């Protein structure tokens, strides 16, 4: 059975993936206005997801791992740190790549250049990244934290995922 943090973040991955599919479709149809809107939304939603992990999930895992014994089923502090470092590197790659695309979209429009190819590269790395999170990291709260701590973490993550930037406020009400 999945822990609540795992379920919440996997659901957000699925939602982001659907948004990416819609963005790719708008780009394929050369609908510049819709493409820009979806690119901006995807960038914002991914940033919210990353913020939830950086502010809440990663610190909770890092702290809990530092207090564990050496059971073979529990990730070691070194394993946690190495994995989180890799995920942070991926996050930087995603945010920098999407920021560059947003800049170009503002300046030249989404029909210019190689948007679909560059987004495909981001998506490919994102798929691998998500597998690491879903097969490892999202399982760790249940291994490292008690039920009360998992529930508290889930609530903090949920609040971050619901904290839309003001420019999208009208769309979410």
């Amino acid at each position: 059975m999945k822990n609540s943090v795992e379920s919440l973040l996997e659901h957000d991955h699925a939602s982001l993936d659907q948004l990416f599919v819609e963005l790719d479709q708008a780009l394929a149809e050369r609908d510049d206005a819709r493409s820009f809107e979806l690119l901006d939304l995807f960038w914002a939603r991914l940033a919210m997801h990353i913020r939830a992990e950086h502010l809440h999930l990663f610190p909770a895992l890092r702290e809990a791992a530092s207090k564990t014994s050496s059971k073979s089923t529990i990730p070691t502090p070194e394993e946690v740190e190495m994995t989180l470092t890799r995920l942070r590197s991926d996050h930087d790659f995603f945010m920098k790549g999407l920021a560059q695309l947003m800049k170009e979209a503002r300046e030249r429009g989404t029909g210019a250049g190689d948007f679909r190819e560059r987004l495909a590269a981001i998506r490919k790395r994102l798929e691998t990244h998500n597998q690491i999170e879903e097969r490892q990291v999202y399982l760790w709260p249940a291994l490292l934290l008690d039920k009360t701590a998992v529930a508290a973490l889930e609530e903090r993550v949920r609040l971050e995922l619901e904290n839309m930037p003001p420019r999208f406020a009208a769309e979410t009400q």
Side-chain angles (χ1 to χ4, degrees):
M1 183 171 166
K2 292 184 179 191
N3 70 72
S4 57
V5 174
E6 179 184 7
S7 295
L8 178 64
L9 290 168
E10 283 184 3
H11 180 267
D12 202 49
H13 278 178
S15 175
L16 284 163
D17 190 52
Q18 180 57 41
L19 189 56
F20 202 104
V21 168
E22 292 174 32
L23 169 58
D24 187 59
Q25 183 64 35
L27 286 166
E29 294 171 357
R30 300 183 186 273
D31 185 343
D32 283 358
R34 182 75 176 140
S35 295
F36 181 82
E37 175 186 302
L38 290 168
L39 177 62
D40 187 32
L41 181 58
F42 181 78
W43 183 38
R45 289 278 321 286
L46 185 59
M48 293 163 56
H49 183 93
I50 289 170
R51 182 178 62 217
E53 291 177 345
H54 284 220
L55 292 179
H56 305 293
L57 178 64
F58 291 1
L61 294 175
R62 192 175 281 118
E63 180 181 345
S66 72
K67 297 176 183 177
T68 62
S69 62
S70 58
K71 292 182 187 175
S72 63
T73 60
I74 296 177
T76 66
E78 295 79 19
E79 180 183 4
V80 169
E81 191 59 42
M82 185 177 69
T83 303
L84 298 184
T85 297
R86 176 180 178 181
L87 296 177
R88 282 181 175 273
S89 175
D90 287 346
H91 291 165
D92 289 345
F93 173 81
F94 303 142
M95 289 295 97
K96 287 176 183 173
L98 291 168
Q100 182 62 37
L101 288 173
M102 282 300 298
K103 179 182 178 194
E104 291 175 24
R106 284 187 188 107
E107 292 172 356
R108 299 190 323 255
T110 56
D114 57 353
F115 264 71
R116 288 187 77 200
E117 293 82 12
R118 291 165 55 202
L119 279 169
I122 291 171
R123 185 174 192 180
K124 182 176 173 131
R125 186 162 173 181
L126 187 59
E127 287 171 355
T128 301
H129 173 92
N130 288 351
Q131 287 177 355
I132 292 168
E133 289 183 336
E134 292 175 9
R135 293 179 184 167
Q136 284 183 276
V137 177
Y138 294 172
L139 305 177
W140 291 348
L143 297 173
L144 296 170
L145 304 169
D146 63 35
K147 289 181 181 183
T148 303
V150 170
L153 176 60
E154 186 258 342
E155 181 60 25
R156 291 191 309 272
V157 168
R158 180 183 310 284
L159 289 172
E160 289 298 337
L161 295 178
E162 293 172 351
N163 188 15
M164 290 292 288
R167 69 183 181 274
F168 299 106
E171 295 176 22
T172 59
Q173 295 178 1

